[in-house]
Amino acid sequence: MINEVYSDRSVVVVSKPSGLPTAPLKNGCGDSLVKQVAEVYPEIMEVSGYQSWEGGLLHRLDTPTSGLVIFARNQKAFDYLSWQQRHDMITKEYRARSAGMKESLPGFPPFPFRSSDECFTITSGFRSYGRKGASVRPLVVDRDMRVYRTEVARESDDSFICVLTQGFRHQVRCHMAWAGYPLIGDVQYGGSEGNEFGLEAIGLTFTDPASQKVISIRV
């Protein structure tokens, strides 16, 4: 049973639980959010998306990350939403929880931003790191590099709200670890071990393809 948060004739937004892959592997084996949503909304698999086995999926969350994911219900909606995504017109909001300050892991350049303030911005490029590129590391921006930005606001001593428009694999996890705040349960980026994972996608803002109204969802 999917946890549906919003739907209309163009899109459906669902909340993914931690531990469930967003999309299946290429061969389609195993459970995934795509598979579960397609059981309720089979039309999403008629959409020609980023990968044939992903249907109308607009963006992924890492398997341990929970929270909001958008699916397009038809091709016109997918094309319009993916255009918004390419032009920084879809805003994604995350709650990141950390067990406290910690030195950066190997492979991180010196952190060039002020992370002690209530609000700060982290910008970088990214490169693959480690065995089979399982992790990423930030790259200090130069003029020829694609830039990814995470706006961070402190919510409490151990909780932060992170906002972005363009996302890279592990972006929030890597940026927070770089700032010295690895996430709870994220041992891959220096976080403390535990049954919980300290990252949840809590907000989405986009323009609805059918109504052209701005839709803001926050859980």
Side-chain angles (χ1 to χ4, degrees):
M1 178 69 69
I2 62 172
N3 183 3
E4 183 177 315
V5 178
Y6 173 85
S7 67
D8 61 25
R9 62 180 179 171
S10 295
V11 303
V12 57
V13 178
V14 300
S15 182
K16 184 186 84 67
S18 177
L20 179 71
T22 304
L25 299 174
K26 186 175 182 179
N27 60 16
C29 293
D31 198 10
S32 70
L33 187 66
V34 169
K35 180 179 178 182
Q36 292 185 9
V37 174
E39 290 175 353
V40 182
Y41 294 96
E43 65 270 22
I44 70 165
M45 298 311 297
E46 298 175 9
V47 175
S48 178
Y50 297 124
Q51 304 290 348
S52 60
W53 57 92
E54 295 180 352
L57 175 68
L58 260 294
H59 61 103
R60 291 175 177 237
L61 296 179
D62 296 334
T63 297
T65 303
S66 60
L68 301 175
V69 180
I70 312 173
F71 289 84
R73 297 181 62 182
N74 56 64
Q75 192 65 51
K76 185 176 180 179
F78 180 87
D79 293 344
Y80 184 53
L81 287 165
S82 61
W83 177 84
Q84 289 182 57
Q85 194 157 248
R86 289 194 304 273
H87 290 83
D88 294 346
M89 296 171 66
I90 297 180
T91 301
K92 301 165 188 173
E93 184 177 348
Y94 296 81
R95 174 171 285 115
R97 294 182 297 116
S98 173
M101 289 288 291
K102 189 173 181 180
E103 295 294 327
S104 291
L105 297 174
F108 282 83
F111 188 70
F113 311 104
R114 295 179 62 189
S115 61
S116 59
D117 295 338
E118 293 302 301
C119 299
F120 55 98
T121 301
I122 305 172
T123 58
S124 78
F126 287 101
R127 65 184 177 93
S128 296
Y129 184 85
R131 185 178 181 185
K132 296 183 179 180
S135 299
V136 298
R137 291 294 186 265
L139 293 170
V140 176
V141 174
D142 66 37
R143 63 183 180 181
D144 297 321
M145 184 182 299
R146 186 171 183 180
V147 177
Y148 296 88
R149 181 186 306 270
T150 304
E151 304 282 349
V152 183
R154 186 186 295 273
E155 190 175 41
S156 65
D157 287 346
D158 61 357
S159 182
F160 302 83
I161 300 299
C162 300
V163 178
L164 54 91
T165 53
Q166 283 286 346
F168 194 86
R169 180 173 67 99
H170 298 183
Q171 177 173 329
V172 175
R173 297 165 62 184
C174 178
H175 273 175
M176 292 304 293
W178 192 23
Y181 297 100
L183 305 185
I184 293 170
D186 193 4
V187 294
Q188 187 173 354
Y189 288 93
S192 57
E193 293 189 21
N195 295 326
E196 295 182 82
F197 192 79
L199 189 61
E200 180 184 9
I202 62 170
L204 285 169
T205 300
F206 59 94
T207 300
D208 184 75
S211 68
Q212 293 296 296
K213 293 180 179 178
V214 175
I215 305 296
S216 291
I217 301 168
R218 199 172 192 274
V219 295

